[in-house]
């Protein structure tokens, strides 16, 4: 049995994650290596300084240079410029009632992709959600069936050409070659859900440093994709500004003492903080810290709810809501999202990977990669 080696690169706002994966003949994946480097030159999931981004990715390239691996990589694409939509295509069958061939399926899917994006956008994902034969819905594998008219409902994701080109230029300049691009929210959704969960219908929320990815699945297929330009860095920024402390101190405070929802709290509960211009630490009421954090986390949850509502599936997803990503580790996240989305079925989860580096990769922050 021969194993194929794949390189996968996730360009996050705060870190770049590179996975060396092995795929066997049965499609099973084992994580051989996982490399993580600080990512510079990125804001809210998009490149804002090409030179800085290239330097970060060159560090990734250096880490795999000694392994003799082809430098072709699958790259995640992030940022609010991503837009998901659903499109339809149709294909008449000649002669009537003959068996549908694979070529018919390819033609009808390509017809659904003929939605003309604006000149500054490019399609990066097109996945069939459902086929219909002579009006009969819910068909997933039409090849071999008979009919007169084949239709398809396809989920399309487009991105801003300038942002996509910047990613490709940075990856190429670092010594890699882009094999394909995948929307990060979709990747996280596929990583976190079983086939049964995708069939039941589920929302996956990936809480990152600069962005929050949203992927919506229904009847086994992706039905909605979005990327919200808010994340953990916004929470730290709020704490830093309102409590007059460095961003590093705000990050520490958030990581060690943060909570996404106020809940019950003793009035005299305090936490020690270091503020700019103060020679010694002071005690701050925990309630103040929690209120600052909850305000921003509630905004993110409301934006997620807007996306689910826009898809028309709010309250109709038996699989509930799955939260992952680095920001999912904060206490109270599940309770806050359950309250805002009025969804009782909410859980925080991480990917489950095997292989030499599988245990290390089985963390929420690596859902996308």
């Amino acid at each position: 049995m021969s194993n194929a080696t794949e390189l996968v690169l996730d360009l996050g706002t705060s870190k770049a994650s590179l996975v060396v994966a092995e795929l066997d003949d049965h499609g099973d994946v084992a994580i051989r290596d996982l490399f993580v480097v600080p990512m510079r030159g990125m804001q809210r999931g998009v490149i804002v300084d090409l030179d800085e981004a290239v330097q970060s990715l060159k560090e990734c390239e250096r880490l795999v240079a000694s392994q003799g691996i082809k430098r072709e990589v699958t790259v995640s694409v992030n940022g609010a410029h991503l837009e998901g939509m659903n499109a339809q295509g149709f294909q008449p069958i000649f002669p009537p009632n003959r068996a549908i061939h694979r070529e018919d399926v390819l033609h009808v899917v390509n017809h659904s992709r003929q939605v003309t994006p604006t000149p500054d956008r490019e399609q990066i994902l097109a996945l069939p959600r459902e086929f219909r034969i002579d009006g009969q819905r819910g068909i997933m594998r039409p090849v071999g069936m008979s009919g007169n008219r084949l239709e398809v409902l396809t989920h399309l994701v487009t991105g801003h050409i300038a942002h996509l080109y910047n990613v490709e230029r940075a990856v190429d300049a670092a010594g890699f070659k882009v094999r394909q691009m995948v929307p990060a929210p979709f990747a996280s959704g596929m990583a976190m859900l079983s086939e049964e969960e995708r069939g039941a219908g589920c929302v996956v929320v990936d809480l990152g440093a600069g962005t929050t990815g949203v992927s919506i699945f229904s009847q086994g297929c992706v039905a909605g994709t979005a990327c919200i330009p808010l994340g953990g860095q916004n929470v730290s920024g709020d704490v830093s500004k309102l409590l007059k402390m460095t961003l590093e101190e705000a990050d520490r405070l958030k990581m060690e003492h943060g909570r996404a929802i106020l809940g019950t709290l003793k009035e005299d509960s305090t936490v020690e903080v270091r503020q700019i211009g103060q020679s010694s630490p002071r005690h701050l009421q925990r309630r103040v810290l929690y209120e600052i954090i909850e305000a921003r986390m509630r905004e993110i949850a409301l934006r997620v709810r807007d996306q689910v509502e826009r898809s028309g599936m709010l309250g109709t997803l038996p699989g509930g809501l799955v939260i992952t990503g680095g920001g999912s580790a904060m206490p109270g996240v599940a309770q806050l999202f359950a309250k805002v989305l009025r969804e009782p079925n909410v859980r925080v989860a991480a990917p489950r990977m095997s292989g030499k580096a599988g245990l290390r990769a089985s963390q929420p922050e690596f859902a996308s990669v």
Side-chain angles (χ1 to χ4, degrees):
M1 182 181 296
S2 60
N3 287 356
T5 301
E6 299 284 346
L7 285 183
V8 181
L9 179 63
D10 179 38
L11 301 181
T13 301
S14 62
K15 70 181 186 306
S17 306
L18 179 67
V19 153
V20 182
E22 292 180 339
L23 287 73
D24 65 22
D25 293 340
H26 301 292
D28 294 325
V29 179
I31 306 300
R32 195 172 91 188
D33 282 304
L34 169 65
F35 305 105
V36 182
V37 302
M39 190 67 201
R40 301 180 298 275
M42 298 278 288
Q43 286 184 10
R44 299 181 180 181
V46 299
I47 295 175
V48 295
D49 188 319
L50 187 63
D51 291 338
E52 288 283 343
V54 169
Q55 292 306 312
S56 295
L57 297 181
K58 279 185 176 179
E59 179 64 16
C60 286
E61 196 278 336
R62 185 187 67 79
L63 291 170
V64 297
S66 62
Q67 302 196 19
I69 301 171
K70 286 184 179 180
R71 298 299 196 275
E72 289 189 350
V73 294
T74 297
V75 184
S76 72
V77 182
N78 227 321
H81 67 99
L82 296 178
E83 291 182 1
M85 63 176 293
N86 295 308
Q88 288 184 293
F90 71 92
Q91 167 82 10
I93 304 300
F94 292 111
N97 293 315
R98 70 163 170 80
I100 293 170
H101 302 151
R102 182 173 178 272
E103 290 73 19
D104 298 316
V105 174
L106 293 176
H107 286 154
V108 76
V109 172
N110 283 334
H111 184 258
S112 70
R113 297 182 63 185
Q114 298 308 307
V115 177
T116 305
T118 57
D120 61 344
R121 303 193 66 80
E122 184 175 301
Q123 285 183 19
I124 56 176
L125 182 73
L127 288 177
R129 288 184 54 193
E130 174 191 64
F131 292 94
R132 301 172 187 173
I133 299 176
D134 296 343
Q136 180 184 343
R137 304 183 59 174
I139 297 170
M140 303 309 296
R141 296 178 178 86
V143 174
M145 300 180 71
S146 298
N148 298 316
R149 177 184 173 97
L150 177 65
E151 299 175 78
V152 68
L153 180 63
T154 303
H155 184 66
L156 307 175
V157 180
T158 65
H160 197 286
I161 289 178
H163 294 315
L164 300 178
Y165 281 5
N166 284 337
V167 168
E168 189 167 9
R169 289 177 62 191
V171 172
D172 286 349
F176 295 104
K177 180 176 176 155
V178 176
R179 179 183 176 187
Q180 63 178 337
M181 293 184 180
V182 178
F186 168 72
S188 298
M190 290 296 292
M192 298 312 306
L193 301 181
S194 66
E195 186 174 346
E196 292 75 17
E197 288 171 321
R198 293 196 296 270
C202 198
V203 179
V204 176
V205 177
D206 189 337
L207 292 170
T211 61
T212 295
V214 182
S215 53
I216 305 165
F217 290 81
S218 177
Q219 297 180 331
C221 301
V222 62
T225 307
C227 191
I228 299 164
L230 295 172
Q233 287 184 349
N234 297 94
V235 176
S236 299
D238 291 346
V239 173
S240 172
K241 291 176 184 177
L242 295 173
L243 298 182
K244 297 180 174 59
M245 59 181 59
T246 65
L247 194 56
E248 291 74 19
E249 175 68 3
D251 263 329
R252 181 196 68 81
L253 203 60
K254 179 187 73 175
M255 296 295 292
E256 294 181 6
H257 304 285
R259 184 173 176 81
I261 194 167
L262 186 60
T264 57
L265 187 68
K266 292 181 179 179
E267 288 296 332
D268 59 351
S269 181
T270 63
V271 61
E272 193 175 85
V273 300
R274 293 183 177 273
Q275 293 179 302
I276 296 172
Q278 300 295 323
S279 58
S280 58
R282 57 160 291 206
H283 288 280
L284 174 78
Q285 283 191 328
R286 285 182 183 268
R287 176 177 295 275
V288 175
L289 174 64
Y290 291 175
E291 286 176 346
I292 294 171
I293 294 174
E294 181 177 344
R296 181 63 79 174
M297 292 299 295
R298 184 175 292 275
E299 180 187 4
I300 294 173
L302 285 168
R303 296 279 291 272
V304 170
R305 178 179 173 172
D306 287 344
Q307 293 296 333
V308 180
E309 196 167 23
R310 191 175 301 170
S311 73
M313 296 183 182
L314 187 65
T316 65
L317 298 165
L321 179 70
V322 176
I323 304 176
T324 190
S328 67
M330 182 182 292
V333 165
Q335 295 94 314
L336 177 66
F337 274 79
K339 185 176 180 180
V340 172
L341 275 78
R342 300 189 184 95
E343 172 57 65
N345 184 10
V346 179
R347 63 184 176 91
V348 174
R352 297 179 181 177
M353 304 306 300
S354 63
K356 180 181 175 182
L359 183 61
R360 186 175 168 226
S362 299
Q363 302 295 326
E365 63 191 276
F366 299 122
S368 180
V369 72

